[in-house]
Amino acid sequence: MNIFMQEAVKEAQKGLAEGGIPIGAVIVYQNKIIGRGHNQRVQKGSAILHGEMAALENAGRLPAAVYKECTLYTTLSPCVMCSGAMLLYEIPRVVIGENQTFIGEEALLRSCGVKLEVLQDQTCINLMQDFIAKNPKLWNEDIGV
């Protein structure tokens, strides 16, 4: 696992330790993390603070040209909301920790020219499998079921 995915996993673990859903993300520009975040729907009572959205929020207001050169690392396949934000800001590359527990809008991202890499990282898989087994109702809420 590369250093950036390790940082996304740290974000996911931070979210879990706070009583939230263990999904984390980092945004990388010119080999440096410019935004990081984890799912905070529970912690902040938010409808939109998925890990990827939190990372974008924490990156802050940046010129579109910056986002067009970024890679977003996320521990889980991105949902339609997060994928839409990635498309809006034209993030060209997304590295996904795993998509075994949830497959988001990967087909949409690919159809719009986003380069995806799915790692099937066991740490990411275990985080989600353990969480879903212990918190099925909360997980279903997070994915809109």
Side-chain angles (χ1 to χ4, degrees):
M1 179 185 328
N2 77 25
I3 186 70
F4 299 124
M5 186 56 71
Q6 287 174 4
E7 291 299 313
V9 168
K10 286 180 188 175
E11 286 293 325
Q13 291 166 333
K14 183 176 179 183
L16 184 62
E18 294 171 353
I21 299 162
I23 302 167
V26 297
I27 302 170
V28 176
Y29 174 69
Q30 296 182 348
N31 216 31
K32 293 180 184 161
I33 294 173
I34 61 167
R36 60 176 60 239
H38 54 276
N39 187 302
Q40 295 178 59
R41 290 187 66 254
V42 173
Q43 301 92 311
K44 293 194 174 185
S46 172
I48 62 168
L49 279 180
H50 283 189
E52 300 91 336
M53 300 297 280
L56 281 164
E57 178 69 14
N58 291 328
R61 183 176 165 203
L62 297 169
V66 171
Y67 286 117
K68 290 178 182 180
E69 293 182 25
C70 288
T71 298
L72 189 144
Y73 291 79
T74 179
T75 58
L76 184 65
S77 184
C79 74
V80 66
M81 174 179 65
C82 297
S83 295
M86 291 172 206
L87 293 174
L88 176 67
Y89 291 105
E90 298 183 36
I91 294 172
R93 182 172 176 251
V94 178
V95 179
I96 299 167
E98 67 103 350
N99 66 4
Q100 289 184 14
T101 57
F102 176 78
I103 296 179
E105 297 300 318
E106 294 177 25
L108 172 64
L109 290 168
R110 281 190 183 98
S111 75
C112 293
V114 177
K115 294 178 182 164
L116 299 183
E117 181 180 349
V118 181
L119 303 178
Q120 301 303 13
D121 178 78
Q122 198 59 52
T123 300
C124 295
I125 294 167
N126 292 344
L127 267 171
M128 287 311 301
Q129 284 179 341
D130 293 347
F131 178 80
I132 293 167
K134 293 175 184 171
N135 304 280
K137 185 176 177 183
L138 183 55
W139 171 241
N140 286 338
E141 175 190 321
D142 198 61
I143 58 171
V145 175

